[in-house]
Amino acid sequence: MRRLEASGEVTAATWARANDLLALCELAHEQLVVRVRVDLLDQLDTVHDDILAALSRARAAGEGTFLLRMTGALAEYWRARSRLSEGRVWLDTAIRMGPPQPTPERARALHGAGVLANWQSDFARAKARLSEALEIRLALGLRAEAASTLNQIGLIALDQGELDEAEARCSEGLAIRRQIGDEALVAASLNTLGGVVQFRGRTDEARAMFEESVAIRQRIGD
């Protein structure tokens, strides 16, 4: 073992494993942001301790870029498994240590941090994180990702009783998703906006949105 450590092979193997975990997290993220996949959540549960070890090593080594990528990819897992505090700590660490440039990875981590903060009713922090993510995503032309952030900002506005902003943000997100043509995400936006409209007492409009959302989900087998 001493010879292996001296040759650097242990370090190389450790980072190889970390990169394999990163690939798994990013692949799972692509699926989990569309719909709940219990099989993927279970798979991440199995390697949860390994993931935390990889994050700890990256933090100790000052690998901010790795931290941004992995924590951003884990945000939906942390939310789905109610590991909210764990996720927030790691996301805040990654945002602090990671490169400050407005990259897709930074925006994803900011979005994830905003979502988890919202789930813990830390609305001011959530809105600040999401607003920064939205600015980056719009500047980079990441329209699908921007629509997701708009949806989250709309949900926060709804929770705070700011109904005009909630409807405006959710409507913006829905318009983008219709233009892109991603049916699964259109259905999600219709569901969110329908809830806002229903809360405002416009039940006929809300019903039409919910019915369209259900029709899409039946068509795509969700």
Side-chain angles (χ1 to χ4, degrees):
M1 177 60 73
R2 290 195 184 96
R3 282 197 296 270
L4 280 173
E5 290 174 346
S7 68
E9 290 181 34
V10 170
T11 299
T14 297
W15 280 110
R17 172 59 173 161
N19 284 317
D20 286 344
L21 290 168
L22 174 60
L24 170 63
C25 292
E26 292 191 323
L27 181 63
H29 171 78
E30 292 176 5
Q31 299 297 315
L32 292 173
V33 294
V34 177
R35 61 171 64 101
V36 174
R37 286 276 304 274
V38 176
D39 59 324
L40 290 176
L41 294 174
D42 288 344
Q43 192 173 358
L44 291 174
D45 283 341
T46 301
V47 295
H48 175 255
D49 289 345
D50 291 342
I51 287 171
L52 294 186
L55 290 172
S56 295
R57 282 192 294 270
R59 180 180 56 192
E63 292 287 343
T65 298
F66 181 93
L67 285 171
L68 273 181
R69 286 182 62 186
M70 181 171 265
T71 57
L74 283 166
E76 188 59 23
Y77 164 73
W78 279 320
R79 185 203 63 78
R81 287 305 199 216
S82 297
R83 299 181 184 273
L84 304 178
S85 296
E86 175 183 292
R88 290 187 68 184
V89 168
W90 278 112
L91 281 159
D92 285 347
T93 298
I95 291 166
R96 185 178 67 255
M97 290 183 61
Q101 290 80 11
T103 61
E105 293 77 19
R106 184 171 182 83
R108 186 174 65 182
L110 286 163
H111 177 95
V115 170
L116 298 190
N118 183 32
W119 273 71
Q120 289 193 322
S121 300
D122 188 354
F123 298 127
R125 185 70 164 174
K127 194 167 184 178
R129 291 299 201 195
L130 289 166
S131 295
E132 188 176 349
L134 179 62
E135 182 179 351
I136 294 172
R137 286 174 162 178
L138 290 174
L140 295 177
L142 302 173
R143 299 174 69 241
E145 292 83 354
S148 179
T149 304
L150 282 164
N151 212 47
Q152 290 295 325
I153 294 174
L155 287 172
I156 293 172
L158 177 61
D159 285 339
Q160 294 185 301
E162 298 170 356
L163 301 184
D164 287 341
E165 182 180 4
E167 185 170 351
R169 294 295 193 172
C170 291
S171 295
E172 287 178 61
L174 174 59
I176 291 172
R177 285 173 168 174
R178 285 197 189 280
Q179 290 167 3
I180 293 171
D182 189 319
E183 286 194 303
L185 295 178
V186 167
S189 276
L190 283 166
N191 196 60
T192 304
L193 182 57
V196 174
V197 171
Q198 181 184 24
F199 197 81
R200 306 196 78 168
R202 288 156 35 207
T203 54
D204 289 343
E205 288 181 52
R207 182 184 181 89
M209 291 177 189
F210 291 142
E211 287 177 344
E212 184 181 357
S213 180
V214 169
I216 291 171
R217 285 171 164 164
Q218 289 175 333
R219 184 166 62 250
I220 65 177
D222 185 356

